[in-house]
Amino acid sequence: STVDVQLLFKIAGVGIIVAVMATVLKQAGKDEQGQMVTLVGVLVVLMMVVTLLGKFFNLVKATFGMY
């Protein structure tokens, strides 16, 4: 349970940092770099979620005895 809360805070932190960086870059007239920062942020969060899903499926396999 604490792992889930920590993961949520990590995802929220990445989202806040990405939003601030993208806004600053957009205000500076560097829209393309802002879009790249947003894309990298989405990929980082996606990797976190994929790791969590891998752990979940391993738990399901172990629970039901599927190897």
Coordinates of all heavy atoms in Angstrom, one line a residue:
S1 N 0.8 -1.2 0.0 CA 0.0 0.0 0.0 C 0.9 1.3 0.0 O 0.6 2.2 -0.7 CB -0.9 0.0 1.2 OG -1.7 1.2 1.3
T2 N 1.9 1.2 0.8 CA 2.8 2.4 0.8 C 3.5 2.6 -0.5 O 3.9 3.7 -0.9 CB 3.8 2.3 2.0 OG1 4.6 1.2 1.8 CG2 3.1 2.3 3.3
V3 N 3.8 1.5 -1.2 CA 4.5 1.5 -2.5 C 3.5 2.3 -3.5 O 4.0 3.1 -4.3 CB 4.8 0.1 -3.0 CG1 5.4 0.2 -4.4 CG2 5.8 -0.6 -2.0
D4 N 2.2 2.0 -3.4 CA 1.3 2.6 -4.3 C 1.2 4.1 -4.0 O 1.2 4.9 -5.0 CB -0.1 2.0 -4.1 CG -0.1 0.5 -4.5 OD1 0.7 0.1 -5.3 OD2 -1.0 -0.2 -3.9
V5 N 1.3 4.5 -2.8 CA 1.2 5.9 -2.4 C 2.5 6.6 -2.9 O 2.5 7.7 -3.5 CB 1.0 6.1 -0.9 CG1 1.1 7.6 -0.5 CG2 -0.3 5.6 -0.5
Q6 N 3.6 6.0 -2.7 CA 4.9 6.5 -3.2 C 4.9 6.7 -4.7 O 5.4 7.7 -5.2 CB 6.1 5.7 -2.7 CG 6.4 5.7 -1.2 CD 7.5 4.8 -0.8 OE1 7.9 4.0 -1.6 NE2 7.9 4.9 0.4
L7 N 4.4 5.7 -5.4 CA 4.3 5.7 -6.8 C 3.4 6.9 -7.3 O 3.8 7.6 -8.2 CB 3.8 4.4 -7.4 CG 3.8 4.3 -8.9 CD1 5.3 4.4 -9.5 CD2 3.2 3.1 -9.4
L8 N 2.3 7.1 -6.6 CA 1.4 8.2 -7.0 C 2.1 9.5 -6.8 O 2.0 10.4 -7.6 CB 0.1 8.1 -6.1 CG -0.9 7.0 -6.5 CD1 -2.0 7.0 -5.5 CD2 -1.4 7.3 -7.9
F9 N 2.9 9.7 -5.7 CA 3.6 10.9 -5.5 C 4.7 11.1 -6.5 O 4.9 12.2 -6.9 CB 4.2 11.0 -4.0 CG 3.2 11.3 -3.0 CD1 3.0 10.5 -1.8 CD2 2.3 12.4 -3.1 CE1 2.1 10.8 -0.9 CE2 1.4 12.7 -2.1 CZ 1.3 12.0 -1.0
K10 N 5.3 10.0 -6.9 CA 6.4 10.2 -7.9 C 5.7 10.6 -9.3 O 6.3 11.5 -9.9 CB 7.1 8.8 -8.2 CG 8.1 8.5 -7.1 CD 8.8 7.2 -7.4 CE 9.7 6.7 -6.3 NZ 10.3 5.4 -6.6
I11 N 4.6 10.0 -9.6 CA 3.9 10.4 -10.9 C 3.4 11.8 -10.8 O 3.6 12.6 -11.7 CB 2.8 9.4 -11.1 CG1 3.3 8.0 -11.5 CG2 1.9 9.9 -12.3 CD1 2.3 7.0 -11.6
A12 N 2.9 12.2 -9.6 CA 2.4 13.6 -9.5 C 3.6 14.6 -9.6 O 3.5 15.6 -10.2 CB 1.7 13.8 -8.2
G13 N 4.8 14.2 -9.0 CA 5.9 15.0 -9.0 C 6.5 15.2 -10.4 O 6.8 16.3 -10.9
V14 N 6.5 14.1 -11.2 CA 6.9 14.2 -12.6 C 6.0 15.1 -13.4 O 6.4 15.9 -14.2 CB 7.0 12.8 -13.2 CG1 7.2 12.9 -14.7 CG2 8.1 12.0 -12.6
G15 N 4.7 15.0 -13.1 CA 3.7 15.8 -13.8 C 3.9 17.3 -13.5 O 3.8 18.1 -14.4
I16 N 4.1 17.6 -12.3 CA 4.3 19.0 -11.9 C 5.5 19.6 -12.5 O 5.5 20.7 -13.1 CB 4.3 19.1 -10.4 CG1 2.9 18.9 -9.8 CG2 4.8 20.5 -9.9 CD1 2.9 18.7 -8.3
I17 N 6.6 18.8 -12.4 CA 7.9 19.3 -13.0 C 7.8 19.5 -14.5 O 8.2 20.5 -15.1 CB 9.0 18.3 -12.6 CG1 9.3 18.4 -11.1 CG2 10.3 18.7 -13.4 CD1 10.3 17.3 -10.6
V18 N 7.2 18.5 -15.2 CA 7.0 18.6 -16.6 C 6.1 19.8 -17.0 O 6.4 20.5 -17.9 CB 6.4 17.3 -17.2 CG1 5.9 17.5 -18.6 CG2 7.5 16.2 -17.1
A19 N 5.0 20.0 -16.3 CA 4.1 21.1 -16.6 C 4.8 22.5 -16.4 O 4.7 23.3 -17.2 CB 2.9 21.1 -15.6
V20 N 5.6 22.6 -15.3 CA 6.3 23.9 -15.1 C 7.4 24.1 -16.2 O 7.5 25.2 -16.8 CB 7.0 23.9 -13.7 CG1 8.0 25.0 -13.6 CG2 5.9 23.9 -12.6
M21 N 8.1 23.0 -16.5 CA 9.2 23.2 -17.6 C 8.5 23.5 -18.9 O 9.1 24.3 -19.7 CB 10.0 21.9 -17.6 CG 10.9 21.7 -16.5 SD 11.9 20.2 -16.5 CE 12.9 20.4 -18.0
A22 N 7.5 22.8 -19.3 CA 6.8 23.1 -20.6 C 6.3 24.5 -20.6 O 6.4 25.2 -21.6 CB 5.7 22.1 -20.8
T23 N 5.7 25.0 -19.5 CA 5.2 26.3 -19.5 C 6.3 27.4 -19.6 O 6.2 28.3 -20.4 CB 4.4 26.6 -18.2 OG1 3.4 25.6 -18.1 CG2 3.8 28.0 -18.1
V24 N 7.4 27.1 -18.9 CA 8.5 28.1 -19.0 C 9.1 28.1 -20.4 O 9.4 29.2 -21.0 CB 9.6 27.7 -18.0 CG1 10.9 28.4 -18.3 CG2 9.2 28.0 -16.6
L25 N 9.2 26.9 -21.1 CA 9.7 26.9 -22.4 C 8.8 27.5 -23.4 O 9.2 28.2 -24.4 CB 10.0 25.4 -22.8 CG 11.3 24.8 -22.1 CD1 11.3 23.3 -22.4 CD2 12.5 25.5 -22.7
K26 N 7.5 27.3 -23.2 CA 6.5 27.9 -24.1 C 6.5 29.5 -24.0 O 6.5 30.2 -25.0 CB 5.1 27.4 -23.8 CG 4.1 27.8 -24.8 CD 2.8 27.0 -24.6 CE 1.8 27.3 -25.7 NZ 0.6 26.5 -25.6
Q27 N 6.7 30.0 -22.7 CA 6.8 31.4 -22.5 C 8.0 32.0 -23.2 O 8.1 33.1 -23.6 CB 6.8 31.7 -21.0 CG 5.4 31.4 -20.4 CD 4.3 32.3 -20.9 OE1 4.5 33.5 -21.2 NE2 3.1 31.8 -20.9
A28 N 9.1 31.2 -23.2 CA 10.4 31.6 -23.8 C 10.3 31.5 -25.4 O 11.3 31.8 -26.0 CB 11.5 30.8 -23.3
G29 N 9.2 31.0 -25.9 CA 9.1 30.8 -27.3 C 9.7 29.6 -27.9 O 10.0 29.5 -29.1
K30 N 10.0 28.6 -27.0 CA 10.6 27.3 -27.5 C 9.5 26.2 -27.4 O 9.6 25.3 -26.5 CB 11.8 27.0 -26.6 CG 12.8 28.1 -26.8 CD 14.1 27.8 -26.0 CE 15.1 28.9 -26.2 NZ 16.5 28.5 -26.2
D31 N 8.5 26.3 -28.2 CA 7.4 25.4 -28.2 C 7.8 23.9 -28.5 O 7.3 23.0 -27.8 CB 6.3 25.8 -29.2 CG 5.6 27.1 -28.8 OD1 5.7 27.4 -27.6 OD2 5.1 27.7 -29.7
E32 N 8.8 23.8 -29.4 CA 9.2 22.4 -29.7 C 9.9 21.7 -28.6 O 9.6 20.5 -28.3 CB 10.1 22.4 -30.9 CG 9.4 22.8 -32.2 CD 10.4 22.8 -33.4 OE1 11.5 22.3 -33.3 OE2 10.0 23.3 -34.5
Q33 N 10.7 22.4 -27.9 CA 11.4 21.9 -26.7 C 10.4 21.6 -25.6 O 10.5 20.6 -24.9 CB 12.5 22.8 -26.1 CG 13.7 22.8 -27.0 CD 13.7 23.8 -28.1 OE1 12.6 24.4 -28.4 NE2 14.8 23.9 -28.9
G34 N 9.3 22.4 -25.5 CA 8.3 22.2 -24.5 C 7.5 20.9 -24.8 O 7.2 20.1 -23.9
Q35 N 7.3 20.7 -26.1 CA 6.6 19.4 -26.5 C 7.5 18.2 -26.2 O 7.0 17.2 -25.8 CB 6.2 19.5 -27.9 CG 5.1 20.5 -28.2 CD 4.8 20.6 -29.7 OE1 5.5 20.1 -30.6 NE2 3.7 21.3 -30.0
M36 N 8.8 18.4 -26.4 CA 9.7 17.2 -26.2 C 9.7 16.9 -24.7 O 9.7 15.8 -24.3 CB 11.1 17.6 -26.7 CG 11.2 17.6 -28.2 SD 10.7 16.0 -28.9 CE 12.0 14.9 -28.3
V37 N 9.7 18.0 -23.8 CA 9.7 17.8 -22.4 C 8.4 17.0 -22.0 O 8.5 16.1 -21.2 CB 9.9 19.1 -21.6 CG1 9.5 19.0 -20.2 CG2 11.3 19.7 -21.8
T38 N 7.3 17.4 -22.6 CA 6.1 16.8 -22.2 C 6.1 15.3 -22.7 O 5.6 14.4 -21.9 CB 4.9 17.5 -23.0 OG1 4.9 18.9 -22.5 CG2 3.6 16.9 -22.6
L39 N 6.6 15.1 -23.9 CA 6.7 13.7 -24.4 C 7.6 12.8 -23.5 O 7.2 11.7 -23.1 CB 7.2 13.7 -25.8 CG 7.4 12.3 -26.5 CD1 6.0 11.6 -26.6 CD2 8.0 12.5 -27.8
V40 N 8.7 13.4 -23.1 CA 9.6 12.6 -22.2 C 9.0 12.3 -20.8 O 9.1 11.2 -20.3 CB 11.0 13.4 -22.0 CG1 11.8 12.8 -20.9 CG2 11.7 13.4 -23.3
G41 N 8.2 13.3 -20.3 CA 7.5 13.1 -19.1 C 6.5 12.0 -19.2 O 6.3 11.2 -18.3
V42 N 5.7 12.0 -20.3 CA 4.7 10.9 -20.5 C 5.4 9.6 -20.6 O 4.9 8.6 -20.0 CB 3.9 11.2 -21.8 CG1 3.1 10.0 -22.2 CG2 3.0 12.4 -21.6
L43 N 6.6 9.5 -21.3 CA 7.3 8.2 -21.4 C 7.8 7.8 -20.0 O 7.7 6.6 -19.7 CB 8.4 8.4 -22.4 CG 8.0 8.5 -23.8 CD1 9.2 8.7 -24.7 CD2 7.2 7.3 -24.3
V44 N 8.3 8.7 -19.2 CA 8.8 8.3 -17.9 C 7.6 7.7 -17.0 O 7.8 6.7 -16.4 CB 9.4 9.5 -17.2 CG1 9.7 9.2 -15.7 CG2 10.7 9.9 -17.8
V45 N 6.5 8.4 -17.0 CA 5.3 7.9 -16.3 C 4.9 6.6 -16.8 O 4.5 5.7 -16.1 CB 4.2 9.0 -16.3 CG1 2.9 8.4 -15.7 CG2 4.6 10.2 -15.5
L46 N 4.9 6.4 -18.1 CA 4.5 5.2 -18.8 C 5.4 4.0 -18.3 O 4.9 2.9 -18.0 CB 4.5 5.3 -20.3 CG 3.9 4.1 -21.1 CD1 2.5 3.9 -20.7 CD2 4.1 4.4 -22.6
M47 N 6.7 4.3 -18.2 CA 7.6 3.2 -17.8 C 7.3 2.9 -16.3 O 7.4 1.7 -15.9 CB 9.0 3.7 -17.9 CG 9.5 3.8 -19.4 SD 9.2 2.3 -20.3 CE 10.4 1.2 -19.5
M48 N 7.0 3.8 -15.5 CA 6.6 3.6 -14.1 C 5.4 2.7 -14.0 O 5.3 1.7 -13.3 CB 6.3 4.9 -13.3 CG 7.5 5.7 -13.0 SD 6.9 7.2 -12.2 CE 8.4 8.1 -12.0
V49 N 4.4 3.0 -14.9 CA 3.1 2.2 -14.9 C 3.4 0.8 -15.4 O 2.8 -0.2 -14.9 CB 2.0 2.9 -15.7 CG1 0.8 2.1 -15.9 CG2 1.7 4.2 -15.0
V50 N 4.2 0.7 -16.4 CA 4.5 -0.6 -17.0 C 5.2 -1.5 -16.0 O 4.9 -2.7 -15.9 CB 5.3 -0.5 -18.3 CG1 6.0 -1.8 -18.7 CG2 4.5 0.1 -19.4
T51 N 6.1 -0.9 -15.2 CA 6.8 -1.7 -14.2 C 5.8 -2.2 -13.1 O 5.9 -3.3 -12.7 CB 7.9 -0.8 -13.5 OG1 8.8 -0.3 -14.5 CG2 8.6 -1.6 -12.4
L52 N 4.9 -1.3 -12.7 CA 3.9 -1.7 -11.8 C 3.0 -2.8 -12.3 O 2.6 -3.7 -11.6 CB 3.0 -0.4 -11.4 CG 2.0 -0.6 -10.3 CD1 2.8 -1.0 -9.0 CD2 1.2 0.6 -10.1
L53 N 2.6 -2.7 -13.6 CA 1.8 -3.7 -14.2 C 2.5 -5.1 -14.2 O 1.9 -6.1 -14.0 CB 1.3 -3.3 -15.6 CG 0.2 -2.3 -15.7 CD1 0.0 -1.9 -17.2 CD2 -1.1 -2.9 -15.1
G54 N 3.8 -5.0 -14.5 CA 4.6 -6.3 -14.5 C 4.6 -6.9 -13.1 O 4.4 -8.1 -13.0
K55 N 4.7 -6.1 -12.1 CA 4.6 -6.7 -10.7 C 3.3 -7.2 -10.4 O 3.1 -8.3 -9.8 CB 5.0 -5.6 -9.7 CG 6.4 -5.1 -9.7 CD 6.6 -4.0 -8.7 CE 8.1 -3.5 -8.7 NZ 8.3 -2.4 -7.8
F56 N 2.2 -6.5 -10.9 CA 0.9 -7.0 -10.7 C 0.6 -8.4 -11.4 O 0.1 -9.3 -10.8 CB -0.1 -6.0 -11.2 CG -1.6 -6.4 -11.3 CD1 -2.3 -6.6 -10.1 CD2 -2.2 -6.8 -12.5 CE1 -3.6 -7.1 -10.1 CE2 -3.5 -7.2 -12.5 CZ -4.2 -7.4 -11.3
F57 N 1.1 -8.5 -12.6 CA 0.9 -9.7 -13.3 C 1.7 -10.9 -12.7 O 1.2 -12.0 -12.7 CB 1.2 -9.6 -14.8 CG 0.1 -8.9 -15.6 CD1 0.4 -7.8 -16.3 CD2 -1.2 -9.3 -15.5 CE1 -0.6 -7.1 -17.0 CE2 -2.2 -8.6 -16.2 CZ -1.9 -7.5 -17.0
N58 N 2.9 -10.6 -12.2 CA 3.6 -11.6 -11.5 C 2.9 -12.1 -10.2 O 2.9 -13.2 -9.9 CB 5.0 -11.1 -11.2 CG 5.9 -11.1 -12.4 OD1 5.7 -11.8 -13.3 ND2 6.9 -10.2 -12.3
L59 N 2.3 -11.1 -9.5 CA 1.5 -11.4 -8.3 C 0.3 -12.3 -8.7 O 0.0 -13.3 -8.0 CB 1.0 -10.2 -7.6 CG 0.2 -10.3 -6.4 CD1 1.0 -11.0 -5.3 CD2 -0.3 -9.0 -5.9
V60 N -0.4 -12.0 -9.8 CA -1.5 -12.8 -10.2 C -1.1 -14.2 -10.6 O -1.8 -15.2 -10.2 CB -2.3 -12.1 -11.4 CG1 -3.3 -13.0 -12.0 CG2 -2.9 -10.8 -10.9
K61 N 0.0 -14.3 -11.3 CA 0.5 -15.6 -11.7 C 0.9 -16.4 -10.5 O 0.6 -17.6 -10.4 CB 1.7 -15.5 -12.6 CG 1.4 -15.1 -14.0 CD 2.5 -15.4 -15.0 CE 3.8 -14.7 -14.7 NZ 4.8 -14.8 -15.7
A62 N 1.5 -15.8 -9.5 CA 1.9 -16.5 -8.3 C 0.7 -16.9 -7.5 O 0.6 -18.0 -6.9 CB 2.8 -15.7 -7.4
T63 N -0.3 -16.0 -7.5 CA -1.6 -16.3 -6.7 C -2.3 -17.5 -7.2 O -2.8 -18.4 -6.5 CB -2.5 -15.1 -6.6 OG1 -1.8 -14.0 -6.1 CG2 -3.7 -15.3 -5.9
F64 N -2.4 -17.6 -8.6 CA -3.2 -18.7 -9.2 C -2.4 -19.8 -9.6 O -2.8 -20.8 -10.2 CB -4.0 -18.1 -10.3 CG -5.1 -17.2 -9.9 CD1 -5.0 -15.8 -10.2 CD2 -6.2 -17.6 -9.3 CE1 -6.0 -15.0 -9.8 CE2 -7.2 -16.8 -8.9 CZ -7.1 -15.4 -9.1
G65 N -1.1 -19.8 -9.3 CA -0.2 -20.9 -9.6 C 0.1 -21.1 -11.1 O 0.4 -22.2 -11.5
M66 N 0.1 -20.0 -11.8 CA 0.4 -20.1 -13.3 C 1.8 -19.7 -13.5 O 2.3 -18.7 -13.1 CB -0.5 -19.1 -14.1 CG -2.0 -19.5 -14.0 SD -2.9 -18.3 -15.0 CE -3.2 -17.0 -13.9
Y67 N 2.6 -20.7 -14.0 CA 4.0 -20.4 -14.2 C 4.4 -20.3 -15.6 O 4.1 -21.0 -16.5 CB 4.9 -21.4 -13.5 CG 4.6 -21.4 -12.0 CD1 3.9 -22.4 -11.4 CD2 5.2 -20.4 -11.2 CE1 3.6 -22.4 -10.0 CE2 4.9 -20.4 -9.8 CZ 4.2 -21.4 -9.3 OH 4.0 -21.3 -7.9

